[in-house]
Amino acid sequence: MRQDLRQRLLSSNQGGILPHWDKLSPHEQSSVERQLEAIDLEYLANLFAKRTIPFALPDIEKITAVPVLHSTTNFTEAKKEGINALAKGEVAILMVAGGQGSRLGTLQPKGTWPITPITQKSLFQLHSEKVLTLSKKANRDIPFLIMTSPATHDQTVTFFTSHAFFGLKKEQVIFFTQGTMPAVDLNTGAILFEEPAKVFASPDGHGGTLTALKKAGLLEQLKSQGIKHLFFFQVDNPLVQIADPIFIGHHISHRSQLSSKVILKDSPTDKLGNFIQVNGRCQIIEYSDLPLELANRKKHDGSLFIDTGNPAIHLFDIDFLNLVCSNCDALPFHLARKKVSHVDANLNKVVPEKENAWKFERFIFDIFPLAERWLLVSTKREEEFAPLKNAQGDDSPETAKLAQCKLFIQWLEKAGVKTPAYSTTPEIEICPSFAMDAAELSQKLPNNFQVKFPLLLQDNPKEF
């Protein structure tokens, strides 16, 4: 190993990773050197040194409840404004899709997971069909940015390519890759290796979106194309109303630099980020950082003082993102205790039974306090949030599919359609090409429409 790199490792308390060096081939040693040189070892050591410092909460006395706009406010005007922005080509869409489905039992990108109740379309296909439908309505190709990670990039591109981009134009879909951070030992801070010659590196969080956009030159590219607003969502939520015109309209009419949809929390300790207001600025406190005393605090009417949760559906002003990106590397890293399989000094595989490592992530919402003008718009959990996280139990494929079925039944009822009696939620799927909401469904169905379960509604189905 080069002496300068060896010295950097030793001065950053990484000498513990050196014992297995002589067990590597010359080619492997060269690869490890390149990986280590790309890591800011001193910065990593500082992060580890601060691991026991709790998240710095704002002064509790300065925290106030956030104002929330109901989505039905000025409904017609907002929808018209949003449709107009889409038609003028002022909106792009960004999907965060860097995660693997490890908790689902697969190392494939999570977006490849089959998620629709009847046709078993993947998350990637479902979201792509929504973008395609919006593009047809707007009569223009809405840019669809997809942020991958080094672990999922090639598989994601291959998946889209092999499925003909699910009807989207190839040039309409823009892939870019987020950065990574090494995982370190929970007690020593030593960099972990998933293979003898491969550092264990994980995506740097959805906050890494900003650095990745800047590095790829995409913000400048979007601005040059006349894009003014960037809709942001995460791949694992099949219910998300992508580029919802009403949401866009409210964002524009309020001249907001950033807007977010919010849902009511189910409980004080709901595993959602918590929206708060401090000195007129919006902030989010992660559920793991929210003290129980503050979580349980009540308003005079008995409702939760902090009752708005974050479903990770945002809309950003492009000029605001450009401003923030001038110093996006300043976003803090958050530490999370995780189980990480790795090789030890003797190159034996270690599969931990409990948390053994720290991972480091940046969160997109750490830019929220920088916005002078911001807006929170209400939505309902059952209408727009059913994340896919786990193989079983809460937030699983079963609950995500059930949520879709329940939503589609609501659409039928709002459309005035009578449904047969049922004891358990029936299988029903309404494809984006057929209808994107209850209002469109009402226009599409004939007056004498008869429902039979299972029910699949789709326009001109194609095989991808």
Side-chain angles (χ1 to χ4, degrees), residues 44-51 184-189 358 360:
L44 188 65
N46 288 334
L47 287 175
F48 178 72
K50 297 176 181 178
R51 66 193 181 282
V184 302
D185 182 87
L186 194 68
N187 299 311
T188 68
W358 292 106
F360 306 92

Side-chain angles (χ1 to χ4, degrees), residues 200-233:
F200 188 102
S202 57
D204 58 2
H206 46 70
T209 306
L210 299 180
T211 306
L213 284 170
K214 179 182 179 182
K215 184 177 180 180
L218 287 170
L219 288 179
E220 294 82 357
Q221 178 181 325
L222 293 175
K223 188 173 177 64
S224 70
Q225 295 173 355
I227 302 295
K228 296 181 179 180
H229 318 286
L230 183 63
F231 181 88
F232 173 106
F233 74 101

Side-chain angles (χ1 to χ4, degrees), residues 402-434:
L402 181 63
Q404 293 173 76
C405 293
K406 289 182 175 179
L407 177 63
F408 296 143
I409 288 174
Q410 286 184 27
W411 287 9
L412 287 171
E413 291 173 347
K414 288 180 180 179
V417 176
K418 292 184 178 181
T419 58
Y422 54 86
S423 55
T424 59
T425 304
E427 285 190 335
I428 175 172
E429 182 176 333
I430 301 174
C431 300
S433 60
F434 191 88

Side-chain angles (χ1 to χ4, degrees), residues 18-35:
L18 297 177
H20 81 275
W21 176 258
D22 293 335
K23 298 182 176 69
L24 303 178
S25 69
H27 176 74
E28 289 174 326
Q29 289 178 346
S30 178
S31 174
V32 170
E33 281 187 331
R34 289 194 301 271
Q35 293 172 63

Side-chain angles (χ1 to χ4, degrees), residues 239-463:
L239 293 193
V240 60
Q241 297 175 28
I242 294 177
D244 170 17
I246 300 166
F247 183 41
I248 294 171
H250 285 310
H251 171 84
I252 294 172
S253 64
H254 284 77
R255 297 181 56 250
S256 179
Q257 292 173 305
L258 69 84
S259 301
S260 294
K261 287 196 174 183
V262 301
I263 59 177
L264 281 176
K265 292 168 56 177
D266 280 341
S267 68
T269 55
D270 202 343
K271 292 186 177 181
L272 292 169
N274 299 267
F275 285 95
I276 63 169
Q277 183 176 210
V278 179
N279 295 327
R281 300 293 179 107
C282 181
Q283 295 188 29
I284 292 182
I285 301 177
E286 264 293 76
Y287 65 88
S288 55
D289 295 321
L290 187 67
L292 276 177
E293 177 187 359
L294 187 55
N296 289 313
R297 186 174 172 182
K298 301 290 181 64
K299 298 176 184 176
H300 292 303
D301 62 4
S303 62
L304 288 175
F305 178 69
I306 298 178
D307 62 355
T308 49
N310 173 33
I313 303 169
H314 310 301
L315 192 57
F316 298 108
D317 179 86
I318 289 291
D319 287 336
F320 173 67
L321 288 184
N322 271 311
L323 178 65
V324 170
C325 275
S326 63
N327 194 29
C328 58
D329 287 336
L331 283 181
F333 275 101
H334 297 253
L335 281 72
R337 301 164 69 104
K338 300 288 185 178
K339 289 191 291 186
V340 170
S341 298
H342 61 98
V343 294
D344 61 17
N346 297 314
L347 304 187
N348 296 316
K349 190 73 172 180
V350 177
V351 181
E353 296 182 357
K354 60 182 181 179
E355 295 163 341
N356 67 315
W358 292 106
K359 285 187 178 182
F360 306 92
E361 292 183 326
R362 282 176 167 145
F363 296 156
I364 191 72
F365 51 70
D366 280 326
I367 71 171
F368 282 28
L370 302 177
E372 296 178 0
R373 304 183 306 277
W374 51 276
L375 178 69
L376 303 183
V377 180
S378 68
T379 189
K380 295 180 180 179
R381 186 187 298 253
E382 63 268 22
E383 293 181 358
E384 205 164 357
F385 188 58
L388 176 64
K389 304 286 186 185
N390 308 308
Q392 296 178 330
D394 294 338
D395 300 335
S396 64
E398 180 181 5
T399 60
K401 291 176 182 178
L402 181 63
Q404 293 173 76
C405 293
K406 289 182 175 179
L407 177 63
F408 296 143
I409 288 174
Q410 286 184 27
W411 287 9
L412 287 171
E413 291 173 347
K414 288 180 180 179
V417 176
K418 292 184 178 181
T419 58
Y422 54 86
S423 55
T424 59
T425 304
E427 285 190 335
I428 175 172
E429 182 176 333
I430 301 174
C431 300
S433 60
F434 191 88
M436 296 276 276
D437 54 36
E440 284 188 8
L441 180 64
S442 179
Q443 295 173 356
K444 206 75 174 283
L445 295 177
N447 292 330
N448 59 348
F449 182 73
Q450 299 293 313
V451 174
K452 292 183 180 180
F453 296 125
L455 175 65
L456 172 64
L457 298 175
Q458 58 184 338
D459 267 345
N460 303 318
K462 294 182 180 180
E463 293 293 332

